[in-house]
């Protein structure tokens, strides 16, 4: 994974046809381990702006969504998928439009709800949701899914400190209020929730 992130390595992989082979595997394979590996590869090579735009096409994205829907219990597959979406949407509003048209936001929220204890997945999911709307505010109402996205994000914010920054950034860019709170256990065993500062 670390090697794939280096741009020279990515370009070499592209030159020898790895990308075309991986796209073919994504379309043809029904093996969850193989699909997880391919999604991980696409997640990594999408650090390159040219490649992520090349990959962000409906004919490819339909197989991404299909893999997420076919294997909802495979957390690593879901994490790589969310990470790939986050990379494709980063600083690319046109990509965000294509991603939302393919319904990736619905698959990502489903993954969040299916794996509430997987912090890495939740972080990538929050990043993906944020990147979909950060430069495309017109997509907010679609990505919000009638409140389901907000509910998923707020549950995670209260559950995992490690991804609170990403969650609050996603809430902010979705046009929602985002403030922190602190949960303190008292000496008598009771719990007090104190509202924190407004985030961002």
């Amino acid at each position: 994974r670390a090697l794939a992130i280096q741009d020279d390595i990515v370009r070499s992989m592209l030159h020898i046809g790895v990308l075309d082979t991986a796209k073919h595997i994504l379309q043809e394979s029904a093996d969850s381990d193989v699909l997880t590996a391919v999604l991980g590869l696409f997640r990594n090579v999408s650090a390159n702006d040219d490649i992520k735009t090349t990959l962000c096409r409906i004919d490819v994205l339909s197989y991404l969504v299909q893999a997420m829907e076919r294997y909802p219990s495979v957390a690593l597959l879901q994490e790589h998928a969310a990470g790939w979406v986050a990379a494709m949407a980063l600083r690319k509003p046109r990509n965000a439009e294509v991603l939302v048209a393919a319904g990736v936001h619905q698959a990502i929220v489903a993954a969040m709800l299916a794996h509430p204890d997987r912090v890495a997945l939740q972080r990538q999911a929050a990043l993906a949701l944020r990147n979909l709307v950060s430069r495309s505010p017109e997509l907010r109402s679609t990505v919000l899914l009638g409140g389901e996205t907000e509910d998923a994000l707020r549950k995670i914010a209260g559950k995992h400190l490690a991804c609170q920054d990403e969650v609050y950034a996603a809430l902010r860019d979705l046009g929602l209020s985002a403030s922190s709170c602190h949960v303190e256990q008292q000496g008598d065993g009771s719990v007090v929730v104190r509202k924190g500062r407004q985030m961002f």
Side-chain angles (χ1 to χ4, degrees), residues 102-137:
V104 296
H105 56 294
Q106 295 169 299
I108 287 170
V109 172
M112 293 177 75
L113 296 174
H115 300 279
D117 297 320
R118 295 295 294 251
V119 179
L121 189 162
Q122 298 296 339
R123 183 174 182 274
Q124 291 303 316
L127 285 169
L129 293 169
R130 178 195 183 186
N131 291 350
L132 287 172
V133 299
S134 63
R135 296 195 180 187
S136 304

Side-chain angles (χ1 to χ4, degrees), residues 13-102:
M13 293 169 67
L14 184 63
H15 181 71
I16 63 173
V18 169
L19 209 58
D20 290 336
T21 301
K23 283 179 2 187
H24 178 74
I25 293 170
L26 178 64
Q27 293 167 359
E28 299 295 330
S29 180
D31 184 295
S32 64
D33 291 335
V34 172
L35 290 172
T36 298
V38 169
L39 293 178
L41 171 67
F42 284 157
R43 172 185 179 180
N44 295 328
V45 298
S46 289
N48 177 293
D49 281 351
D50 294 334
I51 291 177
K52 72 185 181 186
T53 298
T54 299
L55 289 172
C56 191
R57 296 171 19 205
I58 290 293
D59 62 331
V60 176
L61 298 178
S62 63
Y63 291 102
L64 162 66
V65 173
Q66 185 179 87
M68 294 180 77
E69 291 175 345
R70 183 182 293 175
Y71 300 106
S73 64
V74 182
L76 186 57
L77 182 151
Q78 302 293 327
E79 178 192 332
H80 284 330
W84 182 21
V85 171
M88 283 189 285
L90 181 63
R91 300 184 306 274
K92 295 288 184 180
R94 175 60 188 141
N95 286 4
E97 292 176 19
V98 176
L99 288 158
V100 170

Side-chain angles (χ1 to χ4, degrees), residues 2-17:
L3 284 174
I5 290 174
Q6 298 176 13
D7 198 53
D8 287 344
I9 300 295
V10 171
R11 291 184 182 280
S12 295
M13 293 169 67
L14 184 63
H15 181 71
I16 63 173

